[in-house]
Amino acid sequence: MDRAGLRLKPMKQQAKAGDIRLLFADESEAPTHPYLARAWAKRGADLRIPAPGQAMKIAMMGALDFAANHLTVTTSRTKRSTDFIDLLSEIDRIYGPQPGKLHLPVVLVLDNGPVHTSKLTREALAERAH
């Protein structure tokens, strides 16, 4: 097990015990226009398949609640810090303090991707450090 795995093990145990909310967050993209990676054709043939629309991508920002196995996802056209902050707002809405409910500390595990380390994101995370 690597060092990160060793640091996460106690947090995973805390999450399973119901002491914290352990969230793993990241982002990805999905193409909205299908494409063919491989196809059969006669040798030398110019293979073209008409498809309507423009090739675009949808960015997905998500956070997985480790213990509850609950996935929170936001989508946008871009993968920018502001889009990641939208995910943080959704996490606030779901896991933030609510009247009559037990509030658990939230631990958010991120990689060092640009949207996670930008100045804007660091400021948004600092606002939530309480």
Side-chain angles (χ1 to χ4, degrees):
M1 187 180 306
D2 63 4
R3 289 178 15 201
L6 287 173
R7 289 190 302 261
L8 285 174
K9 189 174 181 180
M11 285 189 271
K12 287 181 177 181
Q13 291 169 342
Q14 286 179 298
K16 286 179 182 177
D19 296 332
I20 64 169
R21 296 278 190 185
L22 181 60
L23 306 178
F24 293 90
D26 212 349
E27 66 283 328
S28 186
E29 290 177 337
T32 61
H33 196 270
Y35 66 93
L36 295 175
R38 292 190 171 89
W40 289 96
K42 290 184 178 182
R43 185 177 298 236
D46 185 17
L47 181 62
R48 293 178 189 254
I49 299 174
Q54 293 290 322
M56 296 186 330
K57 293 180 182 178
I58 292 181
M60 298 171 286
M61 307 273 176
L64 177 66
D65 183 325
F66 172 75
N69 199 30
H70 177 264
L71 182 62
T72 302
V73 177
T74 60
T75 60
S76 66
R77 291 276 177 213
T78 59
K79 282 196 320 185
R80 296 186 177 142
S81 299
T82 53
D83 302 315
F84 183 70
I85 292 169
D86 289 343
L87 174 64
L88 293 179
S89 296
E90 185 65 11
I91 290 170
D92 289 344
R93 188 186 67 74
I94 295 169
Y95 297 103
Q98 297 175 6
K101 281 190 161 184
L102 175 65
H103 175 67
L104 298 175
V106 175
V107 176
L108 185 61
V109 179
L110 304 170
D111 61 16
N112 287 325
V115 298
H116 302 152
T117 58
S118 72
K119 181 180 178 185
L120 197 58
T121 298
R122 286 193 319 259
E123 290 170 356
L125 289 169
E127 291 172 6
R128 292 162 172 84
H130 58 281

